[in-house]
Amino acid sequence: GSLSCGRVEFGFINYYHKPLSLQWVDPKSGRRQHLYLLERLERNTKFIHTYVGHRFVAVDTENDDEVILDHVVEFNGIIGIKNHVNPHEKRDIKKAVQNTMGGEWRKHLAVTRTFSALGFDKGRLPDDIFGSMRAFYYNNRNPPHRLLEEWDSKGVYVNYWETDCNFMQIPWHLKHKWQGRLKDLVEA
């Protein structure tokens, strides 16, 4: 379809206790069309290209009448079906932190630094990219678009056991657009 006229990229991430059927609702007939089996957790996030005003439902795979999510797309973004829960438990992490630091120290020895003419100076983002980033943040800054990041299985890089770590997953094509434009500003 056209890249204008309300075309957006939108993601669905499932933190419900079981897989769900993601369905598009035909605006004329009201009939639902199955798109994906939406498995649980961040690694199973599904992004689609769709249009502003399109309606999606996520339903129980065993009971098509049990609607868990009913959402009308309004912008580029993502929506969580429920939210992830990281365990906040007291634990001795000294050994895990030592192992992580050792691994990160070894990795830093392989890094080669290169800088553009800009170096560490401040630069101005192009207005269209800044506007796109700002709009994305504004539209996705609150739950159910902002979600808890899954740190309980990723190590000790972030102290998720003491405080929540939130994130807004950026749609792939939007991220590619931003990175391509930013690369031009910073590459050597």
Side-chain angles (χ1 to χ4, degrees):
S2 170
L3 295 179
S4 61
C5 298
R7 185 173 186 242
V8 295
E9 187 178 9
F10 202 81
F12 298 87
I13 184 169
N14 180 13
Y15 288 119
Y16 193 64
H17 63 272
K18 61 183 183 176
L20 298 169
S21 170
L22 181 63
Q23 302 173 358
W24 174 72
V25 180
D26 185 303
K28 292 179 182 158
S29 69
R31 283 188 296 225
R32 298 187 292 194
Q33 178 181 342
H34 173 80
L35 298 176
Y36 300 107
L37 177 64
L38 195 56
E39 297 285 351
R40 295 188 70 251
L41 302 177
E42 181 184 341
R43 68 180 167 266
N44 296 306
T45 302
K46 296 287 188 192
F47 279 98
I48 59 170
H49 285 106
T50 189
Y51 291 90
V52 169
H54 277 191
R55 182 175 162 216
F56 296 87
V57 293
V59 300
D60 188 305
T61 56
E62 297 166 8
N63 179 1
D64 206 45
D65 292 329
E66 188 177 348
V67 175
I68 309 302
L69 171 79
D70 189 333
H71 183 73
V72 176
V73 172
E74 298 174 326
F75 43 75
N76 280 308
I78 188 165
I79 192 165
I81 303 165
K82 299 289 189 183
N83 205 342
H84 183 66
V85 177
N86 285 313
H88 290 274
E89 55 195 40
K90 293 256 184 219
R91 62 192 191 138
D92 182 12
I93 60 164
K94 187 176 182 178
K95 184 75 170 160
V97 169
Q98 286 174 332
N99 289 340
T100 299
M101 281 202 54
E104 292 301 307
W105 185 257
R106 285 186 295 280
K107 283 197 285 188
H108 104 281
L109 298 173
V111 173
T112 303
R113 289 185 154 192
T114 59
F115 301 98
S116 66
L118 189 61
F120 285 106
D121 288 342
K122 291 181 182 176
R124 180 175 167 82
L125 287 174
D127 290 341
D128 63 320
I129 296 299
F130 181 74
S132 176
M133 289 177 171
R134 191 170 179 185
F136 178 80
Y137 173 77
Y138 180 83
N139 289 331
N140 291 278
R141 71 188 186 282
N142 295 315
H145 307 287
R146 184 192 76 215
L147 300 165
L148 290 177
E149 192 164 4
E150 296 173 27
W151 276 101
D152 48 332
S153 61
K154 294 182 182 176
V156 293
Y157 298 94
V158 171
N159 68 339
Y160 65 86
W161 56 91
E162 291 179 2
T163 189
D164 291 331
C165 179
N166 294 287
F167 80 110
M168 293 175 286
Q169 193 169 359
I170 304 166
W172 290 106
H173 288 91
L174 185 60
K175 184 189 294 189
H176 180 74
K177 177 181 168 184
W178 291 352
Q179 288 175 337
R181 292 290 303 283
L182 294 174
K183 181 181 172 191
D184 295 338
L185 297 175
V186 298
E187 73 181 352

XYZ file of all heavy atoms in Angstrom, residues 104-145:
353
model
N 32.575 -7.787 30.127
C 32.509 -6.462 29.496
C 33.917 -5.869 29.352
O 34.214 -5.203 28.355
C 31.611 -5.519 30.304
C 30.142 -5.904 30.263
C 29.580 -5.940 28.855
O 29.720 -4.956 28.118
O 29.003 -6.985 28.488
N 34.781 -6.095 30.322
C 36.150 -5.581 30.242
C 36.892 -6.222 29.058
O 37.575 -5.547 28.306
C 36.901 -5.846 31.549
C 38.263 -5.213 31.530
C 39.456 -5.827 31.343
C 38.543 -3.827 31.679
N 40.484 -4.934 31.363
C 39.949 -3.674 31.565
C 37.776 -2.694 31.888
C 40.588 -2.447 31.663
C 38.406 -1.463 31.984
C 39.792 -1.358 31.869
N 36.708 -7.531 28.887
C 37.354 -8.202 27.759
C 36.814 -7.674 26.423
O 37.560 -7.476 25.476
C 37.162 -9.721 27.857
C 38.043 -10.385 28.923
C 37.941 -11.899 28.905
N 36.620 -12.395 29.260
C 36.161 -12.502 30.507
N 36.920 -12.139 31.526
N 34.946 -12.973 30.726
N 35.517 -7.420 26.340
C 34.923 -6.910 25.088
C 35.427 -5.516 24.754
O 35.609 -5.182 23.587
C 33.390 -6.888 25.189
C 32.767 -8.259 25.024
C 31.290 -8.169 24.716
C 30.473 -7.816 25.911
N 29.028 -7.909 25.690
N 35.694 -4.692 25.770
C 36.107 -3.316 25.487
C 37.480 -3.255 24.813
O 37.800 -2.310 24.110
C 36.081 -2.455 26.761
C 37.423 -2.177 27.351
N 38.105 -3.103 28.114
C 38.207 -1.092 27.273
C 39.266 -2.581 28.489
N 39.356 -1.359 28.000
N 38.275 -4.294 24.987
C 39.607 -4.304 24.384
C 39.541 -4.417 22.859
O 40.496 -4.073 22.173
C 40.434 -5.458 24.970
C 40.694 -5.368 26.477
C 41.365 -6.647 26.974
C 41.531 -4.142 26.815
N 38.422 -4.897 22.326
C 38.276 -5.078 20.879
C 37.654 -3.862 20.187
O 37.552 -3.835 18.969
C 37.426 -6.309 20.602
N 37.252 -2.850 20.948
C 36.568 -1.682 20.378
C 37.582 -0.730 19.754
O 38.604 -0.405 20.350
C 35.750 -0.947 21.464
C 35.174 0.354 20.917
C 34.658 -1.845 21.988
N 37.302 -0.301 18.530
C 38.111 0.723 17.871
C 37.265 1.983 17.793
O 36.147 1.959 17.280
C 38.476 0.285 16.434
O 39.164 -0.962 16.520
C 39.357 1.313 15.767
N 37.783 3.080 18.314
C 37.031 4.330 18.315
C 37.305 5.112 17.043
O 38.452 5.306 16.653
C 37.406 5.179 19.516
C 36.885 4.613 20.803
C 37.178 5.553 21.932
N 36.195 5.323 22.974
C 36.008 6.105 23.992
N 36.726 7.193 24.125
N 35.101 5.828 24.884
N 36.244 5.543 16.430
C 36.338 6.463 15.298
C 35.301 7.553 15.514
O 34.244 7.318 16.110
C 36.053 5.752 13.959
O 34.752 5.185 14.009
C 37.090 4.682 13.673
N 35.611 8.732 15.061
C 34.702 9.856 15.257
C 34.541 10.617 13.959
O 35.461 10.707 13.147
C 35.249 10.823 16.317
C 35.455 10.179 17.654
C 36.698 9.737 18.043
C 34.387 10.005 18.518
C 36.888 9.139 19.272
C 34.564 9.401 19.744
C 35.815 8.968 20.132
N 33.361 11.204 13.794
C 33.143 12.107 12.672
C 33.782 13.444 13.021
O 34.302 13.636 14.120
C 31.644 12.286 12.440
O 31.065 12.951 13.555
N 33.716 14.384 12.116
C 34.245 15.722 12.383
C 33.515 16.344 13.574
O 34.066 17.186 14.291
C 34.090 16.598 11.149
N 32.302 15.919 13.816
C 31.521 16.430 14.937
C 32.128 15.999 16.261
O 32.093 16.741 17.239
C 30.074 15.928 14.822
C 29.037 16.492 15.763
C 28.899 18.002 15.585
C 27.701 15.825 15.512
N 32.733 14.801 16.302
C 33.347 14.316 17.534
C 32.366 14.279 18.675
O 31.274 13.752 18.541
N 32.753 14.884 19.812
C 31.873 14.930 20.973
C 31.087 16.228 21.056
O 30.417 16.480 22.046
C 32.686 14.744 22.262
C 33.121 13.320 22.480
C 34.437 12.946 22.287
C 32.201 12.357 22.867
C 34.838 11.639 22.498
C 32.589 11.048 23.067
C 33.906 10.696 22.883
N 31.197 17.067 20.042
C 30.425 18.313 20.052
C 28.941 18.005 19.944
O 28.535 16.962 19.448
C 30.818 19.212 18.871
C 32.197 19.833 19.060
O 32.677 19.856 20.214
O 32.764 20.288 18.060
N 28.155 18.970 20.402
C 26.707 18.832 20.268
C 26.320 19.183 18.846
O 26.883 20.092 18.242
C 25.989 19.758 21.243
C 26.141 19.357 22.686
C 25.387 20.304 23.581
C 25.595 19.921 25.034
N 24.947 20.876 25.935
N 25.372 18.461 18.321
C 24.863 18.746 16.994
C 23.353 18.796 17.031
O 22.729 18.338 17.981
N 22.776 19.338 16.012
C 21.323 19.454 15.938
C 20.777 18.325 15.067
O 21.295 18.066 13.982
C 20.962 20.796 15.328
C 19.482 21.040 15.205
C 19.220 22.463 14.707
N 17.858 22.639 14.301
C 16.852 22.891 15.119
N 17.086 22.983 16.416
N 15.629 23.053 14.669
N 19.743 17.666 15.570
C 19.066 16.657 14.764
C 18.265 17.337 13.659
O 17.738 18.426 13.865
C 18.088 15.847 15.622
C 18.681 14.854 16.604
C 17.574 14.260 17.469
C 19.423 13.757 15.882
N 18.179 16.711 12.502
C 17.295 17.259 11.470
C 15.863 17.356 12.017
O 15.410 16.480 12.764
C 17.387 16.230 10.340
C 18.695 15.532 10.564
C 18.886 15.516 12.058
N 15.172 18.420 11.653
C 13.834 18.679 12.198
C 12.873 17.514 11.992
O 12.088 17.177 12.880
C 13.239 19.949 11.583
C 13.944 21.212 12.057
O 14.627 21.166 13.111
O 13.821 22.253 11.377
N 12.921 16.868 10.806
C 11.975 15.779 10.548
C 12.238 14.567 11.451
O 11.303 13.918 11.924
C 11.978 15.379 9.071
C 13.319 14.842 8.605
O 14.374 15.392 9.004
O 13.326 13.869 7.824
N 13.505 14.270 11.716
C 13.840 13.131 12.578
C 13.499 13.453 14.028
O 12.916 12.633 14.735
C 15.327 12.732 12.435
C 15.594 12.241 11.021
C 15.734 11.689 13.470
C 14.790 11.007 10.626
N 13.846 14.670 14.470
C 13.503 15.067 15.835
C 11.991 15.035 16.023
O 11.483 14.530 17.023
C 14.056 16.456 16.157
C 13.747 16.899 17.554
C 14.428 16.352 18.632
C 12.761 17.847 17.800
C 14.132 16.745 19.936
C 12.466 18.243 19.095
C 13.150 17.691 20.166
N 11.260 15.540 15.053
C 9.801 15.536 15.133
C 9.237 14.133 15.170
O 8.300 13.833 15.926
N 9.803 13.230 14.359
C 9.356 11.839 14.331
C 9.617 11.158 15.675
O 8.752 10.459 16.212
C 10.068 11.086 13.206
O 9.731 9.732 13.204
N 10.815 11.378 16.238
C 11.146 10.784 17.533
C 10.256 11.342 18.640
O 9.773 10.609 19.502
C 12.612 11.045 17.871
C 13.580 10.266 17.038
S 15.272 10.732 17.488
C 16.185 9.511 16.568
N 10.054 12.639 18.596
C 9.232 13.279 19.618
C 7.783 12.784 19.554
O 7.162 12.506 20.577
C 9.300 14.788 19.436
C 8.723 15.557 20.570
C 9.047 17.014 20.429
N 8.458 17.733 21.543
C 8.488 19.021 21.664
N 9.091 19.761 20.766
N 7.923 19.606 22.684
N 7.240 12.673 18.349
C 5.867 12.179 18.188
C 5.757 10.728 18.666
O 4.785 10.367 19.343
C 5.424 12.296 16.733
N 6.754 9.905 18.317
C 6.733 8.510 18.753
C 6.733 8.437 20.279
O 5.937 7.704 20.879
C 7.921 7.730 18.193
C 7.952 6.306 18.659
C 7.152 5.356 18.055
C 8.740 5.930 19.730
C 7.139 4.044 18.510
C 8.743 4.624 20.190
C 7.941 3.679 19.571
N 7.619 9.209 20.912
C 7.683 9.205 22.380
C 6.353 9.679 22.970
O 5.797 9.044 23.868
C 8.828 10.076 22.896
C 8.780 10.206 24.389
C 9.204 9.158 25.194
C 8.242 11.339 24.991
C 9.114 9.245 26.584
C 8.136 11.426 26.368
C 8.573 10.389 27.159
O 8.464 10.466 28.516
N 5.835 10.790 22.479
C 4.600 11.351 23.014
C 3.456 10.346 22.922
O 2.697 10.167 23.875
C 4.237 12.639 22.265
C 2.965 13.274 22.760
C 2.981 14.096 23.882
C 1.752 13.031 22.125
C 1.803 14.672 24.359
C 0.574 13.591 22.593
C 0.609 14.413 23.707
O -0.556 14.963 24.171
N 3.340 9.685 21.790
C 2.235 8.754 21.568
C 2.368 7.441 22.340
O 1.373 6.767 22.579
C 2.092 8.437 20.081
C 1.569 9.612 19.299
O 0.833 10.443 19.802
N 1.971 9.698 18.039
N 3.588 7.065 22.702
C 3.824 5.748 23.310
C 4.349 5.824 24.746
O 4.755 4.813 25.298
C 4.811 4.959 22.448
C 4.212 4.551 21.130
O 3.505 3.563 21.040
N 4.482 5.336 20.097
N 4.347 6.984 25.361
C 5.027 7.177 26.646
C 4.318 6.564 27.851
O 4.896 6.429 28.913
C 5.285 8.657 26.888
C 4.045 9.475 27.201
C 4.352 10.973 27.226
N 3.237 11.763 27.648
C 2.193 12.091 26.895
N 2.126 11.668 25.646
N 1.223 12.830 27.374
N 3.080 6.191 27.709
C 2.322 5.645 28.833
C 1.879 4.210 28.549
O 1.718 3.834 27.390
C 1.083 6.507 29.101
C 1.462 7.905 29.551
O 2.334 8.076 30.386
N 0.817 8.910 28.981
N 1.654 3.422 29.620
C 1.094 2.087 29.406
C -0.261 2.212 28.710
O -0.959 3.194 28.934
C 0.926 1.539 30.834
C 1.889 2.347 31.665
C 1.923 3.702 31.019
N -0.650 1.312 27.862
C -0.064 -0.003 27.606
C 0.999 -0.006 26.514
O 1.416 -1.066 26.066
C -1.275 -0.834 27.174
C -2.127 0.153 26.443
C -1.941 1.452 27.183
N 1.452 1.172 26.082
C 2.485 1.246 25.041
C 3.884 1.138 25.652
O 4.772 0.543 25.072
C 2.349 2.536 24.238
C 0.967 2.724 23.689
N 0.483 1.985 22.635
C -0.053 3.529 24.074
C -0.758 2.342 22.377
N -1.112 3.268 23.249
